[in-house]
Amino acid sequence: MKTLCRTRGLANDLIVTRSRATITLWSEKGIRLSVFDIGAPHQPGLEYARNMLAALAFCPQAQSCLVLGLGGGSIPRMLLRALPQIEVDAVEIDPAVVELAVTYFDIRALPRLAIHLEDAAGFLKRCTSRYGIVIVDAYLGDQFPDQCATKEFIQDARRCLLDNGVLAVNWLSRDKNKQEDLLRKIESLVGPVWQLPCIKSHNLLYFAPVREVARSEITSAAASLKMGVPFENALRKLVLRLKHSR
């Protein structure tokens, strides 16, 4: 494995390595933040990022998506490839992350992607657009920011969702009290929460559709999408693993 770059980010040092056709963005604590396979660029190397494809089962005709937290751009790259009509806004607070994503993960080559260098909470507060999908993947190092778990943040995220939209959250924390508090806020401000635990990591994905969605509808959407998504995917299997959080 060859180190391509080491630079200081807002929370800690960021390292980019390459092993054959795989480029990885690491935190200094050894946490993989993004994994990019040059041979299969639209397939995120991290399980949780691949599993975010399940958001499409809740909003299969999404025209727009907001991703809070860029990393190496794995999730925007996957969604842009999956839905040829979708436009993605990505918000990232750390300029070092954006610079690394541009230099080593080629995100400037992605069509229909706009990158906003600013704080996620501030962006939501000022946002006048509405999206089919809002994804919260905003970590500083390995910490889920406290401001992303506030009532105001969830309210602003809901305001930015279309009436048939879905809020998706990547949760990776051992703080059970903070987790339960976040769930209660999402349920009260957005809607019932479905969860999708990862198998190979401790990541837990939450999906909260604005409108009530039956399992049969999600399953049907996944079956239709699987054939339309132009790369190998496990969408139907992912949907079968979804369960209500309560």
Side-chain angles (χ1 to χ4, degrees), residues 5 21 69 74 93 121 150 164:
C5 178
S74 294
I93 192 174
T150 64
N164 65 342

Side-chain angles (χ1 to χ4, degrees), residues 7 13 24 31 33-35 41 44 50 55 61 84 151-152 175 181 183 187 193 219:
T7 189
D13 279 4
T24 304
I31 298 171
L33 305 177
S34 194
V35 178
R50 292 194 300 273
Q61 303 301 321
K151 179 180 178 180
E152 292 73 23
D175 189 333
D181 183 59
L183 271 177
E187 288 169 341
V193 178
T219 303

Side-chain angles (χ1 to χ4, degrees), residues 69-81:
L70 177 65
S74 294
I75 293 174
R77 187 185 302 273
M78 175 180 67
L79 295 177
L80 287 164
R81 179 64 171 166

Side-chain angles (χ1 to χ4, degrees), residues 11-12 27 29 31 33 139-144 172-173:
N12 47 227
S27 74
K29 295 181 180 179
I31 298 171
L33 305 177
Y139 281 81
L140 276 175
D142 58 352
Q143 297 298 313
F144 190 83
L172 182 61
S173 172

Side-chain angles (χ1 to χ4, degrees), residues 231-246:
F231 54 85
E232 185 63 29
N233 65 87
L235 188 54
R236 293 179 69 179
K237 292 181 179 179
L238 291 176
V239 165
L240 292 176
R241 287 171 41 211
L242 283 167
K243 59 183 180 180
H244 284 292
S245 61
R246 303 292 186 184

Side-chain angles (χ1 to χ4, degrees), residues 37-140:
D37 185 344
I38 296 172
H42 307 296
Q43 290 273 35
L46 296 179
E47 181 190 10
Y48 92 87
R50 292 194 300 273
N51 290 0
M52 272 296 180
L53 193 66
L56 300 186
F58 294 94
C59 192
Q61 303 301 321
Q63 303 287 318
S64 57
C65 175
L66 173 62
V67 180
L68 302 174
L70 177 65
S74 294
I75 293 174
R77 187 185 302 273
M78 175 180 67
L79 295 177
L80 287 164
R81 179 64 171 166
L83 294 181
Q85 79 279 6
I86 201 169
E87 296 184 355
V88 177
D89 284 331
V91 178
E92 173 57 54
I93 192 174
D94 193 337
V97 170
V98 175
E99 183 177 350
L100 293 175
V102 169
T103 304
Y104 298 101
F105 296 85
D106 200 26
I107 60 167
R108 288 296 187 199
L110 297 177
R112 310 183 309 282
L113 172 66
I115 300 171
H116 306 269
L117 181 59
E118 60 179 296
D119 170 75
F123 180 90
L124 284 179
K125 185 69 68 179
R126 293 186 296 274
C127 182
T128 57
S129 299
R130 298 181 73 195
Y131 300 87
I133 302 170
V134 173
I135 296 174
V136 182
D137 189 23
Y139 281 81
L140 276 175

